[in-house]
Amino acid sequence: MKKAVFVYSPEQLGYKFSDTHPFNHKRLTLTMDLLKNIEALDDLDIVPARVATEEELLLAHDPKYIDIVKRAGHGELSEAQCESYGIGTEDTPIFENMHEASAQLVGGTLTAVDYVMEGKVEHALNLGGGLHHGFRGRASGFCIYNDSTVAIRYLQEKYNARVLYVDTDAHHGDGVQWSFYEDPDVCTLSIHETGRYLFPGTGNITERGNGQGYGTSFNFPIDAFTEDESFLEIYEKSMREVFEFFKPDVVLTQNGADAHYFDPLTHLYGTMNIYREIPKLAHKLAHEYCGGKWIAVGGGGYDIWRVVPRAWSMLWLEMTDQQLPTGPLPQAWLDRWQPEAPVPFIPTWEDPNPLYEPIPRKAEIEEKNTQMLAKALHIIRNEKRA
Amino acid sequence: MIVEEIMNEEPYTLAPTNTVFEALKLMREKKVRHLPVIDEERHVLGVITERDIKEALPSSLRDEPNSPVFNAKVEEIMVKNPLVGHPLDFVEEVALTFYESKVGCLPIVSGGKLVGIVTTTDLLYTYIELTGATEPGSKIEIRVSDTPGILFEITKVFNKHHANVQSVLVYPDSENTQNKILSVRVKTLNPLAMIKDLRKEGFDVLWPNLPGVSLQ
């Protein structure tokens, strides 16, 4: 069986708010070009993203909302008319054909799902997806339709699957969490900067699900200024224990690349090291528990020059069992993009060491994160003991 | 905000002739720690708390499963003539009463009759809501001089960006009494443009403020 497919269509680049908006899918182009430069991505690996049908969007969204998105994108509605739907705001402005572009991102994730679930490949990647803040009837935080929510419902209906959703974006995966808050057959795991300071503000350890779904939402809010070691400790322990507890049929990972020190919107101090490790463990556990069934999507990532292309390349390389590269980036890639970039590139796969000044309260931050982990996992550790 | 908006309008209650055992059972079943004791006209006669019961009972370490205390009437151990509140009391007044009188609940009385109850837990949740933490938003903290009109200057910036402010908290600056700290929660994922403008207007933005990272 082929290892993996890379889902992409140029139409995915149509999801664009403006030239100055932080959410910029040019990062897809930059990532693909980097992978092609090191001959890690072949045209034969790429499959086009289909467009999600309206029926599929309805798995996660209100018909009224879909209608609003359509009409807004065709210039039929003013900002004021859309505002209560989270559209026309500074975060999620109206742009032309926004429904079509958003449906294309959702379709990409559905394409990835079908490839994996029909057994054509073990893993599939749709970097255009991962829009985890989208709600049933409202856009939020740059996200119009929530591709992961649609994909998980689709996995349930078409393939009767038990799904584990893992979200390592620096922002809490609120939209996906609330969609499955009462569903015992979907487990959500989100590691994010604490909502005390950062959007969306949710994702406390006490959000554990409700009713039948109680105990199938896991949140690991880490402190601002958390660095690699502590991030990875939380990630590795939470992943192992939640996989063991939930025993999913398939895993869907959201791979936001905004926990890096350079990211302008967050306050975590991750380096490229975490983006080497995150996919490794997801890959390993997908094979241990899900017969290899692993679907991965993109997500946040607002330093599109220095961080996202390197981070997302690691994801694809790991998925396809290619060795993770070290040393210099291809010169041709640097030469091609440096003139456009407003910041000087990091010319190697690794970040310079040290990347930043030492954090004064490192020990306390690590201690606090470890305590948080124990509290968040208490519910399953307790059950094990009983 | 007034008490009427946060009080529980259907509190569990007891009659003075109910037993301590019945009180304890009700508290455990309904997961409450305070019960008003009322007569048939809903006049408040007293309050009985979980702690009153615990103090009246023999130690759980002693083997006395059938202590006579269980069969005593609640009127024998309840707090008689407790402090009560009114539906039109301000929430912050009630908070102060809790803090100063060291009580955990206030029966709310109107027209001489019990109409609700407020506990410290209700107040705590109100506080959480006041911080705006239940809605998607980003937090910005600004140090400002303690002068009239400063909030207007700040909100002008949010207005310019069409940003929805979810909560504003003002608290004293521990370093300098001439200043105040404003903690604002704004409905946005990307506060960078607003922060840039706040700085341009000369405001001292404390959070987000990162060593080594320029916010451009």
Side-chain angles (χ1 to χ4, degrees):
Chain A
M1 194 202 296
K2 200 171 162 174
K3 276 273 173 271
V5 286
F6 188 106
V7 181
Y8 172 77
S9 289
E11 290 80 11
Q12 289 188 327
L13 304 179
Y15 192 88
K16 185 171 181 184
F17 297 106
S18 73
D19 284 335
T20 54
H21 195 282
F23 187 98
N24 187 344
H25 259 349
K26 186 178 192 86
R27 57 204 183 134
L28 298 180
T29 312
L30 290 164
T31 305
M32 287 173 72
D33 194 44
L34 182 55
L35 285 168
K36 284 185 174 172
N37 256 285
I38 58 165
E39 294 177 1
L41 178 67
D42 191 277
D43 282 339
L44 294 172
D45 298 323
I46 301 173
V47 297
R50 68 179 174 85
V51 181
T53 64
E54 189 145 340
E55 201 186 346
E56 286 162 347
L57 294 175
L58 286 167
L59 289 169
H61 295 286
D62 281 336
K64 171 88 181 146
Y65 171 60
I66 296 173
D67 183 56
I68 293 283
V69 176
K70 269 189 192 163
R71 287 163 60 199
H74 296 163
E76 293 168 25
L77 297 173
S78 69
E79 282 182 356
Q81 287 169 297
C82 305
E83 214 160 66
S84 59
Y85 298 91
I87 296 168
T89 59
E90 206 168 74
D91 270 357
T92 319
I94 296 171
F95 62 93
E96 208 181 312
N97 293 325
M98 61 196 288
H99 166 81
E100 289 75 5
S102 309
Q104 185 94 40
L105 297 186
V106 179
T109 305
L110 295 177
T111 305
V113 166
D114 282 331
Y115 263 86
V116 170
M117 298 310 283
E118 285 168 10
K120 292 185 202 156
V121 289
E122 287 185 331
H123 326 304
L125 175 63
N126 176 41
L127 289 174
L131 281 77
H132 61 172
H133 297 306
F135 292 111
R136 185 162 188 86
R138 185 161 53 89
S140 177
F142 315 158
C143 303
I144 298 169
Y145 297 142
N146 192 321
D147 57 295
S148 294
T149 296
V150 175
I152 294 169
R153 287 255 154 74
Y154 182 79
L155 275 162
Q156 290 187 295
E157 293 207 350
K158 189 165 171 194
Y159 300 104
N160 198 23
R162 227 170 121 75
V163 188
L164 172 62
Y165 170 82
V166 175
D167 189 318
T168 46
D169 193 286
H171 299 90
H172 175 226
D174 56 346
V176 184
Q177 172 179 296
W178 301 129
S179 297
F180 301 101
Y181 208 56
E182 304 201 347
D183 188 336
D185 296 316
V186 175
C187 184
T188 59
L189 185 174
S190 182
I191 300 175
H192 44 264
E193 182 181 333
T194 166
R196 285 201 306 276
Y197 314 113
L198 192 69
F199 184 95
T202 49
N204 198 286
I205 52 171
T206 53
E207 291 162 30
R208 297 190 191 277
N210 198 17
Q212 292 287 308
Y214 183 79
T216 57
S217 289
F218 291 90
N219 284 294
F220 302 92
I222 52 179
D223 249 39
F225 310 112
T226 290
E227 300 170 85
D228 287 355
E229 300 87 344
S230 183
F231 185 104
L232 288 174
E233 183 200 333
I234 305 298
Y235 175 66
E236 284 166 9
K237 293 201 169 135
S238 62
M239 282 285 271
R240 285 200 180 281
E241 294 190 35
V242 171
F243 262 93
E244 170 59 26
F245 158 77
F246 187 70
K247 299 188 174 66
D249 298 325
V250 49
V251 58
L252 170 62
T253 63
Q254 194 270 18
N255 296 270
D258 52 358
H260 192 278
Y261 169 71
F262 283 143
D263 197 278
L265 292 186
T266 65
H267 323 103
L268 297 174
Y269 274 37
T271 73
M272 206 43 66
N273 190 33
I274 63 172
Y275 297 109
R276 299 175 87 89
E277 299 301 326
I278 289 170
K280 272 189 209 166
L281 185 63
H283 193 184
K284 186 168 187 301
L285 293 173
H287 279 289
E288 270 178 43
Y289 288 90
C290 311
K293 287 196 271 305
W294 172 26
I295 299 141
V297 294
Y302 307 101
D303 190 317
I304 67 162
W305 306 98
R306 293 175 295 186
V307 177
V308 182
R310 290 187 298 157
W312 281 356
S313 291
M314 297 296 175
L315 178 56
W316 171 250
L317 289 161
E318 174 60 36
M319 237 183 195
T320 45
D321 286 331
Q322 305 186 67
Q323 207 181 357
L324 302 190
T326 55
L329 294 181
Q331 195 57 43
W333 186 81
L334 292 169
D335 290 344
R336 172 158 184 212
W337 298 108
Q338 183 63 76
E340 262 189 62
V343 285
F345 274 119
I346 302 291
T348 50
W349 286 97
E350 298 87 1
D351 283 320
N353 188 15
L355 182 61
Y356 48 79
E357 300 279 308
I359 301 296
R361 303 185 72 170
K362 183 181 174 77
E364 281 163 274
I365 290 169
E366 289 180 354
E367 179 185 49
K368 189 166 184 312
N369 286 341
T370 306
Q371 272 184 15
M372 175 279 294
L373 178 79
K375 279 188 212 157
L377 288 176
H378 182 261
I379 190 168
I380 44 184
R381 287 180 176 172
N382 228 19
E383 200 167 281
K384 242 183 175 171
R385 241 178 275 139
Chain B
M1 192 183 280
I2 54 173
V3 166
E4 192 172 55
E5 291 177 53
I6 68 163
M7 71 184 186
N8 174 0
E9 290 174 5
E10 289 171 357
Y12 301 106
T13 58
L14 292 171
T17 50
N18 280 120
T19 63
V20 168
F21 178 74
E22 286 166 328
L24 199 58
K25 191 160 168 271
L26 186 63
M27 283 180 187
R28 293 205 172 138
E29 273 174 11
K30 305 301 180 189
K31 294 197 169 83
V32 295
R33 288 176 295 166
H34 314 88
L35 293 168
V37 180
I38 56 172
D39 66 15
E40 282 166 5
E41 277 86 47
R42 293 189 76 79
H43 298 127
V44 176
L45 305 174
V47 164
I48 185 160
T49 70
E50 198 178 25
R51 188 169 143 191
D52 297 331
I53 297 179
K54 279 183 180 158
E55 280 178 359
L57 282 174
S59 162
S60 59
L61 298 173
R62 279 167 53 191
D63 189 18
E64 277 187 64
N66 299 314
S67 165
V69 180
F70 281 116
N71 295 319
K73 290 178 178 150
V74 291
E75 64 185 345
E76 291 173 37
I77 62 166
M78 71 185 183
V79 175
K80 293 181 177 121
N81 297 319
L83 288 174
V84 295
H86 190 269
L88 296 179
D89 285 348
F90 282 108
V91 167
E92 51 267 43
E93 263 177 86
V94 172
L96 206 58
T97 307
F98 282 159
Y99 182 76
E100 288 181 341
S101 310
K102 298 198 166 46
V103 293
C105 87
L106 277 189
I108 305 300
V109 173
S110 179
K113 295 182 178 181
L114 179 75
V115 293
I117 189 171
V118 168
T119 69
T120 46
T121 312
D122 299 322
L123 270 183
L124 193 60
Y125 187 72
T126 307
Y127 165 75
I128 294 168
E129 282 190 315
L130 279 175
T131 65
T134 50
E135 285 262 318
S138 294
K139 176 163 154 160
I140 303 173
E141 284 194 334
I142 312 151
R143 177 181 283 134
V144 295
S145 64
D146 190 7
T147 48
I150 206 84
L151 192 58
F152 174 70
E153 296 300 325
I154 297 269
T155 50
K156 267 205 305 207
V157 176
F158 294 124
N159 179 46
K160 186 180 144 200
H161 288 276
H162 203 57
N164 211 341
V165 174
Q166 287 158 323
S167 73
V168 183
L169 297 176
V170 187
Y171 56 96
D173 182 359
S174 56
E175 286 171 19
N176 183 345
T177 52
Q178 306 294 306
N179 292 334
K180 285 268 169 78
I181 310 280
L182 287 182
S183 177
V184 186
R185 241 189 142 84
V186 190
K187 196 170 180 174
T188 181
L189 192 156
N190 175 25
L192 295 184
M194 287 168 231
I195 292 164
K196 194 175 153 198
D197 282 358
L198 284 167
R199 293 213 161 111
K200 220 192 298 173
E201 299 286 331
F203 290 110
D204 184 8
V205 180
L206 301 174
W207 181 271
N209 196 359
L210 304 176
V213 177
S214 73
L215 288 164
Q216 280 143 27

